Amino acid sequence: MRKSLILIFFLFSGMSLFAQIVELTPIFGYTVAGKVDNYGRYFDIKDNALYGGLLSVQFDDLMYAELSYERNDTEGSGFLRTVDMAVEQYQVGVLREFSKGTVVPFTKVSFGTSRYVQKSGGDERAWLFSGGIGVGAKLILSERVGLRLFTNLMLPLEFDGAGFWCGIGTGGSGCSGGVSFNVPVVHWDMGAGLIIRLQN
């Protein structure tokens, strides 16, 4: 997993050499998390502050490729115990702006992984494939500095199963397949960041 993250970082670094605009954005905010239902036994993840950073590289007019990292240190309670834990989000996405000017609304989609780490009472950890959707706005204060306001829904996915079927009938023959996932918990993130713009 770490090798993949390092590879993605170097790919973004290479893209930044040819980009019109590169934005570095440290972010701070708050995460509202829910309960994980494990066959009727609930594990509640406490809402808490988040922090992280974004690397945004413009690759087309109003379009950015984005590498993001978010973390919140929190508590999880359930199954007759409470533990300190951390939740990390590693995402690669695409951001689409809708205008140019001082106020720039945007939307984004991303895919990556969510990492859950137990920090007390054990050393359990889990990686889940995840995706995110978000909206927000950039307030461009100058050529080099701006403010980013955002809200995201982060959706970790658990693999439920896969199947492949073939059959022959009166209407002919055919095959089909499918993969199913479920979302064990939704993280609703909201916050702000200071945009530092680097332009070629």
Side-chain angles (χ1 to χ4, degrees):
M1 182 60 69
R2 290 181 181 177
K3 291 180 181 178
S4 299
L5 295 173
I6 292 171
L7 177 61
I8 290 170
F9 177 78
F10 279 111
L11 288 174
F12 267 77
S13 299
M15 287 177 60
S16 67
L17 296 175
F18 305 100
Q20 299 175 24
I21 298 175
V22 176
E23 296 178 349
L24 300 173
T25 310
I27 58 172
F28 300 91
Y30 196 77
T31 296
V32 177
K35 295 181 179 180
V36 180
D37 182 4
N38 185 17
Y39 301 103
R41 300 172 66 192
Y42 290 96
F43 187 74
D44 188 15
I45 300 175
K46 184 179 178 182
D47 306 340
N48 216 324
L50 71 86
Y51 59 92
L54 307 167
L55 171 62
S56 306
V57 179
Q58 186 179 33
F59 66 89
D60 200 0
D61 193 30
L62 304 178
M63 299 288 289
Y64 288 78
E66 195 161 83
L67 184 64
S68 66
Y69 170 78
E70 292 181 9
R71 178 183 173 116
N72 70 304
D73 295 289
T74 183
E75 289 183 347
S77 60
F79 311 147
L80 304 177
R81 62 178 182 156
T82 298
V83 298
D84 294 326
M85 62 181 295
V87 180
E88 296 177 310
Q89 309 284 355
Y90 300 86
Q91 298 284 304
V92 177
V94 176
L95 181 143
R96 170 73 159 87
E97 296 178 340
F98 290 102
S99 67
K100 296 182 179 181
T102 304
V103 180
V104 182
F106 67 82
T107 185
K108 66 173 286 187
V109 295
S110 63
F111 297 94
T113 184
S114 298
R115 182 175 182 246
Y116 298 85
V117 182
Q118 184 177 340
K119 300 194 300 181
S120 68
D123 191 29
E124 294 183 27
R125 57 194 64 211
W127 293 85
L128 296 178
F129 176 76
S130 60
I133 54 174
V135 296
K138 299 178 184 179
L139 307 179
I140 307 303
L141 306 177
S142 71
E143 289 185 358
R144 298 295 183 186
V145 177
L147 183 66
R148 176 169 172 155
L149 306 174
F150 67 90
T151 182
N152 301 321
L153 285 179
M154 303 303 300
L155 309 169
L157 301 173
E158 282 187 327
F159 177 70
D160 271 348
F164 184 76
W165 306 270
C166 289
I168 300 173
T170 57
S173 62
C175 294
S176 65
V179 177
S180 62
F181 294 89
N182 76 77
V183 178
V185 62
V186 176
H187 300 277
W188 177 28
D189 302 335
M190 61 201 89
L194 179 65
I195 300 171
I196 302 168
R197 302 187 110 196
L198 310 174
Q199 301 185 12
N200 289 335

